[in-house]
Structure formats: structure tokens, C-alpha cells
């Protein structure tokens, strides 16, 4: 707990049996009040490992996709009274040791969203990020910064912390159930005037860590560009998009 605020870690999981225990072992128990794993119909023993470790979990009976998984994560976090929610992948690609730093930055009230950036510093390539992914990351981030009027180091990290207010305000149900959900959520964060902070985060690329293939990366890239263009058209008043409007659908069970 931080300044009386409940800190909760949510983990969108898919086939994370090999890395889940190591990830859990490094989550700082002196800061985190509750952990929740949402299993997206894994084909391995992810749920069995969670049971053995005593981790609360929710299981999707059919695969809902990465974005759909996050929607469940955040809905459940709000239902369970979380004030600060940290989204951590259970594949051990991002170090759990930074959860406290990210949660404190949100808890300070200075930032509404905090990102663990792989690009700040020089950890991305050293950690094994494929060079083509690094180049694509920098290129897409440059375009997004221009269209969204921001100066973030990257928009594509999966390590994020949010205040309760952000999760209650953004129309997240309007977003994709696929990987572009992450990008849409950040564009919404900018649109609704929330403050975003970043910290440098080392990353690891290894066989057990989840990573989308080249084809899915291309689809994601076009989705990212589409999101940024839609944002610019929306703020210019040229065209309106539900994902950027107050009347858009919020998480299930929350009222507009």
C-alpha cells in the first residue's frame, strides 16, 4: 500500500507456465497488496502453476486476445478496490523489481500513468530485442509523438502502471481485443488529459518470453499508425471516434 492506496498487480497470461513462478518471486510484497492472474485459455499448465503458488486467478473459457485479457484485468482490479494497478507480463521479460518505483510515481499524484520504457537508456538491444523491432519501435514512436503532440521514448512497452481514475475514465471497451489495445489506451490517455511518466526498464528476450511474430508485428504496426491518425483527425474535428469520446463504452459494470 502507498499513502493509503491499494496497489494491485494484474498479469495477462497466455502459456506462461515456464516463467510465472520466477516472475512472482520478484514481485515486492512490501508494496503490492494483491496479485491477480487472468489466463486467456492457455494451452499449458499456467493455471496449475498459479494454483500451486496460491495466486488468485480468473480463467477465460475461450481466447479473448491480449486486449480482451487486459479488459478483464482492469475490470477485476476495479471490482477488488485497487487504487494503483500495475500491469506486468508473467513471461519475465520485464523485471518485477520496478513495480514499487512505478507505483510510487502514480501514488505521488504527479503522474496518472507510468511506463517502463525499454528505450530509455540502452537496455533494449542489450537485452536481446531484435534489431528490426528496435528500428520499428523508434520509427513508430516518432510518428506517434508527432501526431499525438507528445515526447515519449516509446509507446509499445507492456509494463504499465495506472491510477484508478484512469481506468474508470477511459472508454476501454471501445478498444481492440488484439495487441493494438495497448496503443489505443495510451492515445486515449493523452486525449483525456492524463499525465504520463516513464522510467528506464531493462528487458529480456529469450525463448520462453512472449513475442509476436513478424506478420503480427506488421498488423500491429498498421494498427498503431491508424490509431495515431484517428487521434489527430478527432482532435482536429475532422472525424469523431468513439474511443476518444466521453460517451464511449467504459469497462463492463462501469457507468458513463
Amino acid at each position: 500500500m502507498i499513502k493509503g492506496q491499494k496497489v494491485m498487480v494484474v498479469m495477462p497470461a497466455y502459456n506462461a507456465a515456464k516463467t510465472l513462478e520466477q516472475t512472482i518471486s520478484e514481485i515486492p510484497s512490501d508494496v503490492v497488496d494483491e496479485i491477480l492472474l487472468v489466463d486467456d485459455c492457455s494451452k499449458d499448465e499456467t493455471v496449475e502453476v498459479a494454483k500451486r503458488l496460491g495466486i488468485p486467478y480468473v480463467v477465460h473459457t475461450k481466447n479473448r486476445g491480449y486486449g480482451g485479457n487486459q479488459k478483464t484485468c482492469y475490470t477485476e482490479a476495479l471490482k477488488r478496490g485497487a487504487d494503483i494497478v500495475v500491469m506486468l507480463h508473467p513471461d519475465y521479460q520485464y523485471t518485477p523489481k520496478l513495480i514499487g518505483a512505478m507505483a510510487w510515481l502514480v501514488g505521488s499524484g504527479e503522474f496518472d500513468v507510468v511506463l517502463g520504457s525499454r528505450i530509455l537508456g540502452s537496455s533494449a538491444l542489450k537485452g536481446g530485442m531484435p534489431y528490426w523491432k528496435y528500428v520499428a519501435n523508434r520509427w513508430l514512436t516518432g510518428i506517434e509523438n508527432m501526431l499525438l503532440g507528445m515526447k515519449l521514448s516509446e509507446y509499445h512497452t507492456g509494463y504499465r502502471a495506472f491510477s484508478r481514475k484512469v481506468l474508470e475514465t477511459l472508454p476501454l471497451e471501445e478498444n481492440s481485443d488484439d495487441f493494438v489495445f495497448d496503443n489505443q489506451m495510451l492515445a486515449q490517455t493523452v486525449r483525456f488529459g492524463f499525465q504520463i511518466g516513464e522510467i528506464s526498464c531493462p528487458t529480456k528476450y529469450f525463448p520462453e518470453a512472449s513475442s509476436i511474430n513478424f506478420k503480427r508485428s506488421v498488423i500491429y504496426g498498421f494498427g498503431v499508425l491508424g490509431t495515431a491518425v484517428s487521434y489527430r483527425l478527432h482532435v482536429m474535428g475532422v472525424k469523431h471516434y468513439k474511443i476518444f469520446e466521453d460517451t464511449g463504452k467504459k469497462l463492463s459494470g462501469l457507468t458513463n
Side-chain angles (χ1 to χ4, degrees):
M1 188 165 288
I2 294 176
K3 294 185 177 181
Q5 300 172 83
K6 180 178 179 179
V7 179
M8 184 170 178
V9 170
V10 295
M11 296 187 292
Y14 181 69
N15 293 342
K18 294 181 179 179
T19 55
L20 179 56
E21 185 167 3
Q22 187 173 19
T23 302
I24 292 295
S25 70
E26 294 187 13
I27 293 178
S29 58
D30 58 331
V31 174
V32 176
D33 299 292
E34 189 173 349
I35 300 171
L36 177 69
L37 180 140
V38 178
D39 182 78
D40 201 24
C41 198
S42 292
K43 298 178 181 178
D44 66 0
E45 294 76 36
T46 297
V47 174
E48 285 68 23
V49 175
K51 286 180 181 178
R52 176 169 58 81
L53 297 174
I55 304 168
Y57 60 87
V58 172
V59 180
H60 289 167
T61 56
K62 63 178 182 180
N63 188 279
R64 288 191 55 193
Y66 177 60
N69 192 322
Q70 283 192 68
K71 291 175 185 179
T72 299
C73 284
Y74 302 139
T75 298
E76 290 296 322
L78 293 176
K79 287 180 180 178
R80 295 167 190 238
D83 299 301
I84 300 170
V85 179
V86 181
M87 193 261 285
L88 172 69
H89 292 180
D91 62 357
Y92 202 61
Q93 188 177 75
Y94 303 95
T95 174
K97 296 176 182 178
L98 295 179
I99 288 173
M102 296 171 69
W104 270 103
L105 285 172
V106 174
S108 72
E110 294 296 325
F111 299 102
D112 305 291
V113 176
V114 174
L115 308 177
S117 172
R118 299 165 296 179
I119 304 302
L120 284 175
S122 57
S123 64
L125 293 175
K126 288 182 179 179
M129 178 185 282
Y131 188 72
W132 67 268
K133 284 195 173 185
Y134 178 82
V135 172
N137 186 310
R138 306 309 301 128
W139 182 72
L140 288 171
T141 293
I143 293 175
E144 289 174 280
N145 276 333
M146 179 178 65
L147 293 176
L148 272 65
M150 298 294 289
K151 292 183 179 180
L152 298 180
S153 66
E154 78 157 320
Y155 290 77
H156 316 292
T157 174
Y159 199 6
R160 303 161 176 227
F162 304 98
S163 69
R164 182 181 184 90
K165 185 177 181 181
V166 169
L167 299 179
E168 290 178 328
T169 301
L170 301 184
L172 296 178
E173 288 288 3
E174 298 290 348
N175 293 354
S176 169
D177 284 342
D178 208 342
F179 288 101
V180 78
F181 174 94
D182 270 352
N183 209 256
Q184 291 173 326
M185 191 173 185
L186 283 186
Q188 288 173 323
T189 298
V190 176
R191 174 69 182 107
F192 282 81
F194 291 112
Q195 295 299 308
I196 303 174
E198 296 182 280
I199 66 171
S200 180
C201 174
T203 185
K204 309 178 191 71
Y205 283 79
F206 53 98
E208 289 78 21
S210 62
S211 183
I212 59 177
N213 59 33
F214 181 77
K215 180 179 179 181
R216 296 295 297 277
S217 294
V218 171
I219 294 172
Y220 169 77
F222 279 111
V224 166
L225 294 175
T227 299
V229 170
S230 296
Y231 172 90
R232 178 49 50 189
L233 293 175
H234 186 91
V235 298
M236 291 175 63
V238 176
K239 190 174 181 179
H240 295 285
Y241 296 87
K242 279 286 189 179
I243 68 170
F244 300 124
E245 295 184 343
D246 290 328
T247 55
K249 293 181 181 178
K250 299 180 183 179
L251 292 172
S252 299
L254 301 179
T255 58
N256 286 324

